[in-house]
Structure formats: C-alpha cells, structure tokens
C-alpha cells in the first residue's frame, strides 16, 4: 500500500481556526469540504465544493450564524447538503447548503436546537437513521435530538465530567464514550443504561472507536509513564484491555480512524505529521503494525472522505483531508493499493454501508435496530439520486412551510413517507405476482362440465 499526498488538489488560503479544542474542525463528503475558520465575534465555518481545489478567495462566503466559536461540524451521512454544527453559544444548528455551494454568507439555520446549559463540544449523526442527532455538552449530558419534531427526546446523564468522544457500533444500538472522569463506557443510548464501564488507571483514555462488527473497541490515550498508547477492549467485558501497546513519547492527542471494509486502523497524531496504520484481526496478536506516512507539516485535524466519494479507478481505499494551520492549507492524502490492472478491483471494495437511511427517527426510538442497506456503491460512478430532493422544495411545493424549522421537519417526514411507499409498492408487486400465478392455474384447469 502507498500514500499519495496530492498537492494539486489542495485548498489554500483558508483561515483555519486557532481554537485549541481537541476536535478535527473539518468535515467532508462527496460534495463538500467544511472547515471551521477563525472569526471575530461569533463562530463560522466555510463550505467549499470538493471539486473546486486551489486558492480560496479571502471573501469566500461562510456559515456564520453562531454567537460563539464553532467546536464541531458533521455532515449528515444520508443527505449530503445537510450539515450540523455546535458551538460555545450552547446551541446545535442544522444547515442546508445549496447545490454548488454558498453564494453569500449564511446566517439563518434550518433548525436551532437549544437544550444544553453550557457550551456544546461534540455532535454525532446516528449511523442508520437520518433524523437522529446526538450532542454532548460541557453540562456533562448527551442529548438525543429527533429532527422530525425538532426536539430533544432523550438525555443520557451518566457522566461526571466532560465527554470527549462518542462512537457508535455499526447499527447504532450501542454508544461508546470517553470522558474526563477517566472512564470508558458502553451505553444503550435509548435507555441511557451503562452496560459496561472501565476505570482506566494505567491507560487514561482520550479517544474511542468501535471496530465494526468485531465486538471490539479501540482506545487511544496515555500510559502511567505519559507515553502515547493504544488499547484493544472486548465491548462485553471492560474489566481489563485485551491488548495495550506503547506508541511513542510525544504529547499530542492520537486520533483513531477505523475502516471496517479493509479492517485497517489509522492513527494520526495531533501536532505531528505522521499517520500510522495497522491491520486489525480477530486472532492474536489482534494488532499488526504495517507502515507509517510521514510529513514535516503538523496536522491540526483530519477529515475523512466517505467510501462513495473515493476514486475506485485509482484503487483508493481511504482519503484524509489534513488541516495545516500555519499554511492555511487543506491537503488531501490518499491511501492507494497498487494494482496493474485498470479494471474494478472487487477484493478491496467489499459490500459497504449504503447512502440510504435504514430507519426513521421514530423507528429507532421505538427500539428497532437495523443496519444501513448494503449497496455496491463502487460498481459505477456515483450519480445524483433521482427523485430525492435534498432541499425539500419540490416535495413541499403544495404546502409551503411557514418557518425554516417547519421546512426541515416536513422534509424528514417526507423521506419517511417515501420509504413506506416503497415498501408498500414492493408488497403489492409480490401480491400481483401471486394473483397472476393463481389466475394461470385456474386457466389451465378445464371445467368438469365441459368434459361431460
């Protein structure tokens, strides 16, 4: 495997935030790159189409509705024009970016969500339901927002200090958190019940990530000797880690990224330019070190391109967007598997999570668990989905919403109605086929009276 740092596709001249909060300040999808920027009076972030690399105009429009610094941004995994942000102003906001990007500053959010009493440091979209958003605040609480009604519907109140990381398992039925109270927790999010917890004395946890369907967790943190360390855990038994491994003596935070399709773990250090990568296996030694990407330019944070945005013709299996604050630069770094053949490489692109939500918000809240539909999204270039209007205008043409909040609520309701109609059509198709078979059977049976 090899790394390709492509200078031609860099984004230059971006005033990246100087905030010291330990987040990535970057979010990317197949359409847009979003970066939290330095701003006076309130918080802002910039949104750029991923195809428009190069030097960015210093007057490029921004999303600037928050009254405090923006601390986290995340794209909706199913609707690529929808992005959520959270801020020191204690609010969470949901924005809709127009096709082609911003043409003027955006100050009005589609939804403004207030429920935290202090600043909000983390947000995460649910991995299988498009209408569920999680937020973690400095009030030590996690709120679960149902965007179909624009209200918080659950509160997780089991932490005694600031939550620093949240990670979901594949179907979103479990939530792992790390916290400044030095505890690692596995939580059933709908009830808020803590299923497992570990008091980490020898391994102070900073970040946690679920390892796909392996029923394993991986954490990065600091050992008792203040060296950077990773640990592997059984999600059903956090009494002690399965494996602990020292990394180095540097002080920067280690960000973990896991690719469930290739079972690859990437470790990127904040403040240094290195990215290590490992293979994860179900048998000992569990962690197999492979190689390291080295760069002299320190990274402040990293965005990750979703699978359907990768270049399959180049055998690209992972792509980072690296924030280099001193240069105001965003640099794409691609993980390439060298292949001589130019045909589609099926072995490195297994079945992966699709881009359709599996559940509505109400389905998930009622207790249903379902993974996202598996789709072979790499068989052909990704195209715009016909009939899915992300801004909701066509769907709501006959019933114009009165407010922005009403627009988003109606949008999510329309998506749920479309999903139910598709299921109903499939059921009717099956019924029609059954009736046709019965009709054919009746035609093939001659009436007894005709034979007399």
């Amino acid at each position: 495997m090899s790394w390709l740092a492509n200078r031609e596709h860099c984004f230059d001249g971006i005033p990246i935030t100087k905030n010291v909060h330990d987040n990535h300040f970057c979010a990317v999808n197949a359409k847009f790159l979003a970066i939290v920027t330095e701003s006076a009076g309130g918080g802002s972030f910039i949104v750029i189409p991923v195809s428009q690399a190069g030097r960015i105009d210093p007057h490029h429009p921004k999303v600037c509705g928050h009254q405090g610094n923006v601390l986290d941004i995340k794209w909706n995994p199913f609707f690529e024009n929808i992005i959520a942000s959270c801020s020191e102003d204690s609010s969470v906001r949901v924005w809709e970016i127009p096709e082609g990007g911003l043409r003027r500053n955006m100050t009005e959010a589609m939804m403004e969500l207030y429920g935290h009493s202090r600043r909000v440091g983390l947000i995460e979209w649910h991995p299988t339901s498009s209408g569920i958003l999680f937020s973690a605040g400095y009030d030590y609480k996690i709120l679960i927002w149902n965007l179909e009604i624009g209200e918080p519907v659950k509160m997780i109140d089991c932490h005694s200090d600031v939550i620093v990381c949240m990670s979901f398992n594949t179907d979103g039925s479990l939530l792992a958190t790390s916290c400044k109270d030095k505890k690692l927790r596995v939580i059933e999010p709908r009830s808020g019940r803590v299923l497992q917890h570990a008091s980490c004395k020898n391994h102070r946890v900073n970040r946690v990530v679920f390892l796909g369907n392996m029923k394993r967790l991986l954490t990065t943190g600091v050992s008792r000797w203040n060296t950077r360390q990773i640990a592997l855990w059984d999600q059903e038994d956090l009494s002690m880690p399965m494996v602990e491994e020292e990394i180095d003596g540097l002080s920067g935070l280690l960000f973990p990224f896991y690719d469930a399709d290739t079972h690859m773990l990437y470790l990127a250090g904040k403040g240094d330019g290195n990215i290590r990568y490992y293979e994860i296996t179900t048998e000992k030694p569990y962690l197999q070190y492979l190689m390291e990407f080295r760069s002299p330019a320190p990274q402040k944070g990293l965005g990750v391109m979703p699978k359907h945005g990768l270049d399959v013709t180049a055998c690209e299996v992972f792509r980072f967007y690296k924030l280099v604050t001193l240069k105001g630069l965003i640099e794409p770094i691609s993980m390439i598997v060298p292949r001589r053949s130019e045909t589609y490489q099926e072995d490195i692109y297994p079945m992966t999570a699709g881009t359709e939500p599996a559940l509505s918000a109400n389905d998930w809240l009622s207790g249903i668990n379902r993974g996202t539909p598996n789709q072979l999204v790499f068989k052909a270039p990704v195209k715009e989905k016909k009939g899915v209007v992300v801004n909701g205008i066509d769907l709501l043409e006959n019933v114009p919403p009165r407010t922005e909040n009403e627009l988003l609520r109606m949008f999510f309701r329309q998506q749920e109605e479309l999903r139910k109609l598709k299921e109903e059509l499939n059921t009717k198709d099956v019924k029609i086929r059954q009736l046709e078979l019965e009709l054919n059977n009746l035609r093939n049976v001659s009436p007894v009276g005709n034979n007399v």
Side-chain angles (χ1 to χ4, degrees), residues 272-425:
D272 59 77
N274 305 337
I275 301 174
R276 297 171 175 84
Y277 49 107
Y278 298 74
E279 184 178 12
I280 304 286
T281 59
T282 54
E283 298 175 354
K284 288 185 177 180
Y286 305 120
L287 285 165
Q288 182 65 48
Y289 173 76
L290 297 177
M291 284 183 71
E292 182 175 4
F293 168 79
R294 290 180 173 271
S295 166
Q299 57 224 6
K300 182 183 183 68
L302 294 156
V304 174
M305 174 64 77
K307 283 285 179 174
H308 63 278
L310 300 179
D311 182 1
V312 297
T313 60
C315 296
E316 183 183 34
V317 294
F318 214 77
R319 190 193 305 164
F320 289 107
Y321 283 78
K322 172 179 171 178
L323 276 64
V324 185
T325 309
L326 296 176
K327 297 180 180 179
L329 187 73
I330 313 299
E331 180 183 22
I333 303 171
S334 294
M335 178 68 159
I336 305 292
V337 179
R339 294 287 169 92
R340 290 185 179 179
S341 172
E342 294 183 1
T343 59
Y344 175 75
Q345 303 293 308
E346 203 162 324
D347 60 317
I348 59 174
Y349 298 115
M351 295 283 279
T352 193
T355 54
E356 294 280 352
L359 297 167
S360 69
N362 289 331
D363 285 342
W364 182 78
L365 290 167
S366 70
I368 300 172
N369 293 322
R370 192 184 301 152
T372 51
N374 283 330
Q375 297 178 353
L376 285 173
V377 297
F378 295 110
K379 287 295 185 184
V382 177
K383 296 177 181 177
E384 294 294 322
K385 282 184 242 165
K386 294 178 181 177
V388 177
V389 183
V390 175
N391 62 16
I393 292 172
D394 291 339
L395 293 176
L396 306 178
E397 200 169 309
N398 297 323
V399 189
R402 289 169 295 179
T403 65
E404 295 289 340
N405 282 5
E406 191 175 321
L407 171 63
L408 192 59
R409 286 197 293 273
M410 293 177 75
F411 168 71
F412 282 110
R413 280 200 293 272
Q414 289 283 354
Q415 296 302 319
E416 171 58 7
E417 286 174 22
L418 283 172
R419 188 181 68 80
K420 287 180 178 176
L421 285 170
K422 285 178 184 176
E423 289 179 359
E424 194 176 324
L425 278 173

Side-chain angles (χ1 to χ4, degrees), residues 32 44-49 52 57-65 95-109 404:
F32 298 112
S44 65
F45 59 95
I46 193 169
V47 176
I48 309 160
Q52 293 181 13
D57 188 326
H59 303 294
H60 191 284
K62 295 177 181 177
V63 179
C64 48
W95 313 81
E96 185 193 12
I97 306 302
E99 287 294 331
L102 298 174
R103 293 169 183 81
R104 60 185 65 84
N105 283 351
M106 180 177 283
T107 57
E108 294 295 323
E404 295 289 340

Side-chain angles (χ1 to χ4, degrees), residues 76-79 125-133 146 148 171 356-365 370 372 412:
N76 185 305
F78 308 109
F79 304 112
W125 290 95
H126 190 272
T128 65
S129 172
S130 63
I132 294 288
L133 181 67
N146 179 353
E148 291 174 10
D171 66 4
E356 294 280 352
L359 297 167
S360 69
N362 289 331
D363 285 342
W364 182 78
L365 290 167
R370 192 184 301 152
T372 51
F412 282 110

Side-chain angles (χ1 to χ4, degrees), residues 211 214-219 230-245 280-287:
L211 300 180
M214 288 186 175
K215 295 193 172 181
R216 302 274 192 270
L217 294 167
L218 184 122
T219 58
I230 58 175
L232 189 68
W233 307 77
D234 180 344
Q235 73 181 40
E236 295 175 351
D237 180 12
L238 298 184
S239 57
M240 62 182 298
M242 299 166 62
V243 175
E244 289 181 329
E245 186 170 318
I280 304 286
T281 59
T282 54
E283 298 175 354
K284 288 185 177 180
Y286 305 120
L287 285 165

Side-chain angles (χ1 to χ4, degrees), residues 79-334:
F79 304 112
E80 295 188 319
N81 294 54
I82 303 292
I83 188 169
S85 62
C86 64
S87 165
E88 290 180 348
D89 64 10
S90 76
S91 76
V92 176
R93 304 190 187 203
V94 180
W95 313 81
E96 185 193 12
I97 306 302
E99 287 294 331
L102 298 174
R103 293 169 183 81
R104 60 185 65 84
N105 283 351
M106 180 177 283
T107 57
E108 294 295 323
M110 294 183 78
M111 302 189 86
E112 295 184 17
L113 308 173
Y114 292 95
H116 289 281
S117 59
R118 298 184 65 189
R119 60 181 171 167
V120 187
L122 282 174
I123 45 174
E124 289 289 346
W125 290 95
H126 190 272
T128 65
S129 172
S130 63
I132 294 288
L133 181 67
F134 283 60
S135 62
Y138 276 61
D139 51 8
Y140 312 159
K141 293 175 176 58
I142 296 174
L143 295 182
I144 305 176
W145 301 88
N146 179 353
L147 299 185
E148 291 174 10
I149 61 173
E151 298 289 341
V153 288
K154 302 281 182 183
M155 182 175 71
I156 299 173
D157 191 14
C158 59
H159 300 85
S160 58
D161 209 325
V162 175
I163 301 110
V164 295
C165 184
M166 296 188 287
S167 176
F168 288 101
N169 66 342
T170 306
D171 66 4
S173 61
L174 295 175
L175 175 70
T177 65
S178 58
C179 178
K180 286 191 176 179
D181 64 9
K182 301 180 182 178
K183 287 185 179 179
L184 170 66
R185 294 173 175 85
V186 175
I187 301 165
E188 201 293 306
R190 282 169 289 219
S191 66
R193 187 163 57 95
V194 179
L195 305 178
Q196 290 283 331
H197 78 273
S199 297
C200 311
K201 295 178 182 177
N202 297 335
H203 172 76
R204 297 201 305 276
V205 173
N206 284 328
R207 291 293 183 271
V208 59
V209 63
F210 268 100
L211 300 180
N213 290 319
M214 288 186 175
K215 295 193 172 181
R216 302 274 192 270
L217 294 167
L218 184 122
T219 58
T220 67
V222 181
S223 72
R224 65 169 74 180
W225 297 283
N226 283 332
T227 56
R228 296 200 291 192
Q229 187 182 52
I230 58 175
L232 189 68
W233 307 77
D234 180 344
Q235 73 181 40
E236 295 175 351
D237 180 12
L238 298 184
S239 57
M240 62 182 298
M242 299 166 62
V243 175
E244 289 181 329
E245 186 170 318
E246 304 286 326
I247 302 298
D248 56 32
L250 297 179
S251 59
L253 181 70
L254 273 177
F255 292 117
F257 302 89
Y258 181 65
D259 180 2
D261 294 349
T262 59
H263 307 296
M264 296 284 290
L265 171 73
Y266 302 90
L267 295 178
K270 183 177 181 178
D272 59 77
N274 305 337
I275 301 174
R276 297 171 175 84
Y277 49 107
Y278 298 74
E279 184 178 12
I280 304 286
T281 59
T282 54
E283 298 175 354
K284 288 185 177 180
Y286 305 120
L287 285 165
Q288 182 65 48
Y289 173 76
L290 297 177
M291 284 183 71
E292 182 175 4
F293 168 79
R294 290 180 173 271
S295 166
Q299 57 224 6
K300 182 183 183 68
L302 294 156
V304 174
M305 174 64 77
K307 283 285 179 174
H308 63 278
L310 300 179
D311 182 1
V312 297
T313 60
C315 296
E316 183 183 34
V317 294
F318 214 77
R319 190 193 305 164
F320 289 107
Y321 283 78
K322 172 179 171 178
L323 276 64
V324 185
T325 309
L326 296 176
K327 297 180 180 179
L329 187 73
I330 313 299
E331 180 183 22
I333 303 171
S334 294

